[in-house]
Amino acid sequence: MRERIGLYVHIPFCHTKCGYCDFNSYAMQGPIVQAFEDALRREIEQSPYSGSAIDTLFFGGGTPTFLTGDSLTQILELLFKRFGIHPDAEITSEANPGTVDTAKLKTMREAGFNRLSFGVQSFDAAELKRMERIHSPEEVFTAVMAAREAGFDNLNLDLIYALPDQPLERWQANLLKAIQLQPEHLSLYGLMLEPNTRFYHLYQKGRLRLPDDETQLAMHAFARACAQEHGYQPYEISNYAKPGRECQHNLIYWHNMPYFGFGPGAVSYWEGARWTNIKHPREYIRRVKEGEPLGFESERLTGWERVAETIMLGLRLEAGIDWEALETRFQLPIRSHYAEVLIALESRGWLQQQNGSARLTEEGFLWHSEAAAAFFEG
Amino acid sequence: MDQSLIRNFCIIAHVDHGKSTLADRLMEATGALQPGNVEQALDTMDLERERGITIKMTAVRLHYKASDGKTYQLNLIDTPGHVDFTYEVSRSLAACEGALLVVDASQGVEAQTIANTNLAMVQGLQLIPVMNKIDLPAAEPERVNEEIEHALMMDASEVILASAKEGIGIQEILEAVVHRVPPPVGDEKAAMRALVYDSHYDTYVGVVAYVRVVDGAIKSGTKIRFMQTGKEYEVSQVGYFTPRLRPVDVLRTGEVGYIIASIKTVHDAPVGDTITDASRPSKIPLPGFRRAKPMVFCGLYPVEGDKYADLRDALEKLQLNDAAITFEPENSVALGFGFRCGFLGLLHMEIIQERLEREFSLELIATAPSVVYRVLTEGNEWSEIDNPTHWPPSGSIRLIEEPFVNATVMVPKEYVGTVMELCMGRRGEYVRMEYPTPQRAILYYKLPLSEILLDFFDQLKSRTRGYASFDYELGGYRPAEMVKLDILINGDVVDALSFIAPKDRSYPRARALVERLKEVVPRQQFEVRIQAAIGSKVIAAENIKPFRKNVIAKCYGGDITRKRKLLERQKEGKKRMKQVGSVEVPQEAFLSVLKVGD
């Protein structure tokens, strides 16, 4: 497989911090926003990797649309100047339905963004409120219309299921409403309770009731069946797309290809090394100003670690793993190394092997962590 | 040295009442230790220092010029401070004529002090009560004096007020040792007899036996015989402790010191044995010899199966220095290959486990400790059972006896009810109660030893908010109705979880255990059934619902490292679990049995 390279920009601000969110995001405003933008542009300008060919761009957060359309345009223009961005590159921005309007989206579209990913999460007003989302269900409709009007023909909607006290029926209703909006792509996630989130603490204290395993399974199964029925093909554990609309940027992650990250907390992966920028915006800004190194953690992976990681990620994909491509890429006898693991996973009915590739079965997807763990040295 | 100038004494004290500090001060005052040099010179092992207790005894010879102008040889013999080592304590007491009885001026008399005082009195030692830590603001000398009078039955006017930390009362104590402790009265002309009161193993010289010469004298070249083992050796060195070893030409009647004689293991120089001169042997051994007999057994298994040989080597090394440990290979379906190990008691067991883990870097799984039951089966055969796995089928059992202890609990009076409740819950038989002072009570109970193994100390401590002190001595065997409880996981008996329970408490204990296991055994991908059974009859059961999926989480560029590390940790955790059938059981499950006493 041709090595493709992604580029990620992290905008660390949000209007509020949501109860389930453990992303590197902060409810901040005022002069720090401008200072951050300056620092970000400086980081991009000074990048030792400028000039690299880039296949995909992704603005994430936080809430990229927390910034003005002009600010986003400036940043994107700078990236175009500094990197060899492919003319057909997929350029995505995450967006909060409550922070966009037609004018802003038009500006972004004209600047070169060609894909939007809306953090919808739910169409139920009470659920949105409980998650502390700032948008209403109606605003989702408005935002999608605005995006279409602005000329975006590639939209993703993020939805979360297994929310506290969520019955199966409400999830079904949420998903159907999303499908009615006819996005090109759907990301359907089960709620994860991450430490350091408000939801997590409530759960620890027994004050948050989550749907049981059976209901969660039913939600997952419904998501899969309903999406397929409406023409969305599952291509990753949690991701569905109309034909040809798979998210190219995320595929870079799932193929464990290289990427550069800019902004606080952004992660880069290049030539077997992975490093993370300092997370807090203030410290990030200070370091950029002082010309200090931004990295606060990094690791260099051995060949076999990279193999195991690539398998872990590849097993998330419907297409699975192409052994020959992998063996060529890493120049290692991967199949023989994992012969026993592969047999064991197959005999459990979790893994299917054919024509030189391996993929998880539908049952296997439910046990992805367990299956992937088998490829690591414990 | 003239026997009239020798004084052999020891210090009796509860843990933390300041024995080691006092010993340091006595050494400083007599010049055996430079002030502020090595703190607490008598305690040698790290572990002892950390726990504030003395496990291995040693002794030190002090030269003291008394107020009468004469210089005395004072032999201070250290004693271990814990209930498990009662026999060892009794042997070191037997090497003395007197004892300093140290009581903390704020804590007062503790159960352990009473037990050791009784031991010393029985052996006819002259006791010198010392109230330590009188400099502390919390000191209550009047109350503690009252306790010394009533609980220890000693005259309060004899009490020396001291603070070892501040050096108060040290001179007075040394004078009291000289004037109140009687000198040894051995027969210098009689056939040599020396009491072995302790020993340690040294890699270079073999066993160093600690001895008190009772009659006659011993010097290098003497051919000696151990009267119990019958083994003979030629002495290569004799000496005394400074506390380091210092060779001398001869150990005379009444003196305390050591001998080295190319003895290979501590088992060949058992504590309590009598050494005599092989060429002119005495006919009468010194009284009180007993073989160290383990009372508490548990299975020790390496977490990683391939460390079995390392565990065996480590146990062998510890055994060189500790005659009380026993071990035999054992294998468990659940835990693989390990050893059935015997210990003097719970503390001894904990200490050995800790040393194995710390000094030998072994990771261990310990099964719940068990006492030794005597079982009479058909055909009138008695067998001793220290492992539930070897319990005979119930149909063939005619009689069971279990060991019990005479327990002493000392407690502030407001906790009397609590302690009685706890003892009753543990099948205790009330013997009597005393009030040495209006505020504190001493409770005497007979308790099954097995009940003490079930978390008794922790319970006692937490229920009395740390105020109770506890001591016991073994009290022989009594008939008991016991049954073997098996634990089944998905139909497979987990041998390492079987335990012996009193018949009339088997139901609640079985219930408590399956509930506890339900908490510690993680959910699996299938339903797990946990049952407790007596023979083929299931008496308690719980089901652990299966989990149906892993968390289906997102994973993007920023998540990859974290996700990988999570999986690596999960895999590492799994490796440490034990496989029972197809169920993965974590280590803590094997100690759950301990928590079912109430």
Side-chain angles (χ1 to χ4, degrees):
Chain A
M1 189 178 294
R2 188 179 72 83
E3 187 113 305
R4 283 172 296 131
I5 305 171
L7 192 152
Y8 176 81
V9 177
H10 190 78
I11 312 297
F13 304 116
C14 279
H15 288 274
T16 56
K17 181 85 181 168
C18 300
Y20 58 89
C21 170
D22 81 324
F23 291 120
N24 189 39
S25 63
Y26 305 84
M28 294 173 155
Q29 39 197 318
I32 189 167
V33 179
Q34 187 56 51
F36 157 76
E37 288 178 26
D38 296 342
L40 177 66
R41 285 198 304 271
R42 194 145 157 199
E43 188 199 358
I44 294 167
E45 275 167 2
Q46 293 173 349
S47 169
Y49 302 101
S50 72
S52 303
I54 298 293
D55 296 273
T56 65
L57 255 80
F58 197 103
F59 281 49
T63 310
T65 48
F66 185 93
L67 303 187
T68 65
D70 289 341
S71 294
L72 291 167
T73 304
Q74 268 183 30
I75 297 164
L76 189 54
E77 277 175 355
L78 180 62
L79 289 167
F80 272 111
K81 231 186 321 187
R82 293 284 162 175
F83 288 86
I85 295 171
H86 195 276
D88 295 332
E90 174 195 270
I91 304 175
T92 307
S93 175
E94 289 181 341
N96 184 308
T99 56
V100 292
D101 53 45
T102 314
K104 185 174 195 170
L105 292 177
K106 267 196 174 132
T107 310
M108 287 173 70
R109 182 71 193 90
E110 277 157 21
F113 288 96
N114 54 28
R115 186 174 182 270
L116 290 176
S117 174
F118 282 112
V120 175
Q121 321 314 2
S122 168
F123 284 92
D124 182 274
E127 282 181 354
L128 287 169
K129 194 169 167 211
R130 193 158 176 194
M131 281 188 275
E132 295 171 274
R133 300 294 298 181
I134 55 160
H135 67 271
S136 64
E138 295 71 32
E139 278 173 311
V140 180
F141 293 94
T142 323
V144 169
M145 306 282 256
R148 294 300 188 200
E149 220 172 296
F152 283 95
D153 68 352
N154 199 358
L155 299 182
N156 168 56
L157 303 185
D158 273 356
L159 289 167
I160 299 179
Y161 62 87
L163 292 170
D165 296 316
Q166 187 179 54
L168 176 60
E169 296 72 28
R170 196 178 303 139
W171 163 241
Q172 293 172 332
N174 281 343
L175 180 54
L176 286 166
K177 279 183 190 154
I179 289 171
Q180 272 173 20
L181 290 172
Q182 300 186 356
E184 283 67 32
H185 189 283
L186 287 166
S187 293
L188 310 176
Y189 305 115
L191 176 69
M192 261 289 272
L193 289 184
E194 302 282 2
N196 304 320
T197 62
R198 200 171 49 80
F199 273 20
Y200 180 83
H201 291 296
L202 287 174
Y203 183 77
Q204 296 295 68
K205 287 187 213 146
R207 285 166 48 199
L208 198 72
R209 200 174 43 222
L210 297 178
D212 60 21
D213 269 15
E214 299 300 321
T215 311
Q216 292 194 26
L217 276 178
M219 288 173 164
H220 174 79
F222 178 80
R224 217 177 144 88
C226 180
Q228 286 191 75
E229 195 183 311
H230 290 88
Y232 298 91
Q233 282 310 311
Y235 70 103
E236 194 259 0
I237 290 182
S238 309
N239 285 277
Y240 304 81
K242 290 274 170 75
R245 298 299 193 142
E246 296 84 8
C247 177
Q248 296 305 312
H249 183 80
N250 289 338
L251 280 168
I252 285 179
Y253 296 142
W254 296 324
H255 286 127
N256 212 11
M257 298 285 184
Y259 47 91
F260 298 113
F262 295 97
V267 178
S268 302
Y269 180 52
W270 182 250
E271 293 183 338
R274 195 180 281 118
W275 64 95
T276 308
N277 279 356
I278 187 77
K279 293 201 170 176
H280 198 279
R282 264 185 234 293
E283 177 64 8
Y284 167 81
I285 292 164
R286 191 193 66 77
R287 289 205 194 176
V288 173
K289 265 192 192 149
E290 311 282 328
E292 286 176 27
L294 294 177
F296 92 104
E297 60 182 20
S298 67
E299 57 175 356
R300 180 164 289 282
L301 302 165
T302 66
W304 281 109
E305 280 172 336
R306 289 164 69 192
V307 168
E309 234 181 29
T310 310
I311 294 174
M312 167 185 93
L313 294 161
L315 289 178
R316 301 182 70 88
L317 296 169
E318 205 72 30
I321 296 154
D322 180 339
W323 290 123
E324 221 175 279
L326 207 63
E327 285 174 350
T328 313
R329 180 170 157 195
F330 290 104
Q331 294 294 307
L332 288 167
I334 298 171
R335 265 173 293 190
S336 57
H337 183 74
Y338 288 121
E340 277 178 45
V341 173
L342 294 171
I343 290 168
L345 292 176
E346 267 186 305
S347 70
R348 292 178 91 164
W350 290 358
L351 191 84
Q352 239 172 20
Q353 295 216 76
Q354 59 190 134
N355 307 326
S357 76
R359 54 185 296 275
L360 290 183
T361 60
E362 230 170 284
E363 171 74 8
F365 273 119
L366 302 176
W367 303 106
H368 173 271
S369 294
E370 188 121 4
F375 294 90
F376 287 99
E377 307 294 328
Chain B
M1 173 161 293
D2 182 351
Q3 283 190 70
S4 67
L5 294 176
I6 298 175
R7 300 291 182 273
N8 296 317
F9 72 107
C10 60
I11 306 176
I12 293 172
H14 186 76
V15 174
D16 283 343
H17 283 196
K19 181 172 75 171
S20 300
T21 314
L22 178 59
D24 286 354
R25 291 298 164 272
L26 296 177
M27 282 189 266
E28 283 170 16
T30 54
L33 188 70
Q34 293 307 308
N37 195 354
V38 187
E39 274 294 292
Q40 306 195 339
L42 284 189
D43 285 353
T44 48
M45 285 194 280
D46 285 353
L47 204 60
E48 293 174 17
R49 193 150 306 167
E50 259 169 49
R51 292 186 167 220
I53 50 173
T54 309
I55 302 157
K56 201 72 195 170
M57 288 167 284
T58 170
V60 62
R61 183 179 288 187
L62 314 172
H63 297 282
Y64 175 62
K65 191 160 192 235
S67 54
D68 60 11
K70 294 184 211 161
T71 297
Y72 291 85
Q73 178 198 108
L74 309 184
N75 291 302
L76 168 55
I77 295 171
D78 200 14
T79 55
H82 190 272
V83 54
D84 287 350
F85 305 99
T86 310
Y87 173 66
E88 284 70 9
V89 175
S90 79
R91 291 308 84 202
S92 46
L93 293 179
C96 304
E97 278 79 26
L100 297 175
L101 179 63
V102 179
V103 177
D104 184 301
S106 56
Q107 305 286 319
V109 172
E110 305 279 7
Q112 201 182 39
T113 327
I114 301 176
N116 283 340
T117 304
N118 290 339
L119 213 54
M121 282 177 167
V122 168
Q123 304 215 13
L125 265 60
Q126 177 63 46
L127 293 175
I128 302 170
V130 173
M131 197 188 305
N132 193 21
K133 307 194 188 181
I134 52 146
D135 58 310
L136 293 186
E140 292 181 73
E142 293 80 20
R143 175 179 71 81
V144 174
N145 256 339
E146 214 177 318
E147 287 187 357
I148 291 174
E149 285 211 331
H150 293 100
L152 304 178
M153 282 162 296
M154 301 183 63
D155 192 342
S157 67
E158 292 177 6
V159 175
I160 299 173
L161 300 181
S163 163
K165 200 163 147 260
E166 299 298 323
I168 301 167
I170 302 303
Q171 217 56 40
E172 207 182 330
I173 291 168
L174 287 166
E175 286 297 319
V177 169
V178 167
H179 297 297
R180 294 197 217 166
V181 175
V185 285
D187 185 343
E188 289 163 23
K189 310 236 157 39
M192 189 269 283
R193 292 194 300 171
L195 171 72
V196 179
Y197 69 89
D198 193 19
S199 63
H200 81 259
Y201 178 82
D202 182 280
T203 329
Y204 300 104
V205 300
V207 173
V208 179
Y210 302 7
V211 298
R212 154 74 193 267
V213 183
V214 176
D215 298 318
I218 183 168
K219 53 188 167 192
S220 69
T222 307
K223 189 124 193 251
I224 54 166
R225 178 187 302 157
F226 285 82
M227 294 181 78
Q228 292 295 335
T229 65
K231 294 202 170 164
E232 296 188 359
Y233 301 91
E234 190 178 306
V235 174
S236 56
Q237 192 186 105
V238 300
Y240 64 88
F241 306 94
T242 68
R244 298 191 190 293
L245 306 187
R246 172 165 304 173
V248 288
D249 294 337
V250 60
L251 286 178
R252 294 182 200 284
T253 309
E255 289 189 325
V256 171
Y258 67 87
I259 62 156
I260 294 171
S262 304
I263 304 166
K264 293 283 180 299
T265 82
V266 290
H267 304 265
D268 295 328
V271 169
D273 202 348
T274 305
I275 297 174
T276 190
D277 190 332
S279 58
R280 188 195 161 205
S282 165
K283 294 204 167 45
I284 307 149
L286 296 163
F289 175 77
R290 210 174 74 196
R291 278 231 168 263
K293 189 171 188 295
M295 295 306 298
V296 172
F297 287 79
C298 78
L300 289 182
Y301 292 82
V303 169
E304 288 163 53
D306 56 359
K307 293 279 161 61
Y308 172 80
D310 295 356
L311 176 56
R312 188 191 52 220
D313 292 349
L315 285 166
E316 277 169 3
K317 283 205 181 95
L318 289 180
Q319 208 181 35
L320 284 177
N321 222 341
D322 186 340
I325 312 174
T326 63
F327 61 94
E328 268 174 39
E330 136 177 300
N331 86 68
S332 148
V333 180
L335 301 176
F337 290 97
F339 295 93
R340 191 76 188 164
C341 303
F343 308 95
L344 292 173
L346 264 187
L347 180 84
H348 189 215
M349 178 175 88
E350 281 168 18
I351 289 166
I352 296 301
Q353 282 179 24
E354 220 172 298
R355 290 188 62 189
L356 288 168
E357 296 194 332
R358 187 189 302 208
E359 293 168 31
F360 298 90
S361 307
L362 289 163
E363 286 186 88
L364 299 175
I365 295 180
T367 63
S370 166
V371 301
V372 183
Y373 294 95
R374 288 186 188 151
V375 179
L376 180 68
T377 47
E378 280 170 352
N380 283 339
E381 255 183 76
W382 283 102
S383 39
E384 296 206 330
I385 311 245
D386 62 43
N387 185 343
T389 313
H390 302 148
W391 197 255
S394 56
S396 69
I397 296 177
R398 296 181 54 183
L399 191 67
I400 300 162
E401 288 184 348
E402 68 169 338
F404 70 99
V405 301
N406 296 315
T408 312
V409 182
M410 189 139 186
V411 76
K413 69 169 191 301
E414 57 266 37
Y415 294 110
V416 165
T418 313
V419 172
M420 287 182 138
E421 199 185 313
L422 175 63
C423 289
M424 252 154 58
R426 300 307 181 89
R427 298 189 287 138
E429 185 191 308
Y430 173 81
V431 178
R432 67 176 198 279
M433 179 162 59
E434 288 166 7
Y435 278 97
T437 64
Q439 287 78 36
R440 291 232 288 176
I442 310 175
L443 287 142
Y444 296 92
Y445 266 90
K446 286 187 186 303
L447 280 166
L449 178 60
S450 65
E451 299 286 337
I452 292 172
L453 301 187
L454 295 181
D455 193 28
F456 185 85
F457 293 112
D458 289 345
Q459 285 292 325
L460 184 66
K461 249 196 211 141
S462 72
R463 291 184 188 199
T464 62
R465 303 172 67 199
Y467 280 115
S469 69
F470 174 69
D471 197 85
Y472 67 82
E473 53 177 31
L474 294 167
Y477 275 78
R478 304 178 127 194
E481 286 205 66
M482 310 298 286
V483 292
K484 180 189 174 198
L485 268 170
D486 287 321
I487 296 297
L488 293 83
I489 294 186
N490 278 1
D492 296 324
V493 173
V494 187
D495 52 2
L497 282 173
S498 296
F499 70 109
I500 307 299
K503 194 176 174 193
D504 60 349
R505 317 239 163 160
S506 55
Y507 277 72
R509 290 200 180 163
R511 176 115 294 280
L513 181 56
V514 295
E515 278 169 14
R516 172 106 190 117
L517 286 170
K518 186 182 177 179
E519 280 167 33
V520 297
V521 175
R523 291 165 76 196
Q524 322 261 330
Q525 288 156 32
F526 41 83
E527 187 163 64
V528 176
R529 200 158 22 101
I530 297 178
Q531 297 166 307
I534 300 173
S536 57
K537 188 178 166 209
V538 173
I539 61 168
E542 283 283 347
N543 283 350
I544 302 174
K545 276 200 177 168
F547 67 96
R548 299 287 310 275
K549 60 171 184 56
N550 292 147
V551 179
I552 300 168
K554 62 178 180 59
C555 185
Y556 296 115
D559 309 315
I560 297 171
T561 298
R562 194 170 56 146
K563 177 86 180 164
R564 187 192 73 235
K565 288 187 175 160
L566 188 76
L567 294 185
E568 283 169 350
R569 267 204 309 280
Q570 270 172 15
K571 195 163 181 194
E572 182 64 34
K574 247 181 210 303
K575 230 171 52 185
R576 302 170 58 87
M577 297 229 202
K578 291 292 166 180
Q579 198 80 21
V580 175
S582 50
V583 182
E584 282 152 352
V585 180
Q587 295 170 48
E588 62 257 44
F590 298 97
L591 281 177
S592 303
V593 181
L594 289 181
K595 309 283 182 193
V596 300
D598 308 276

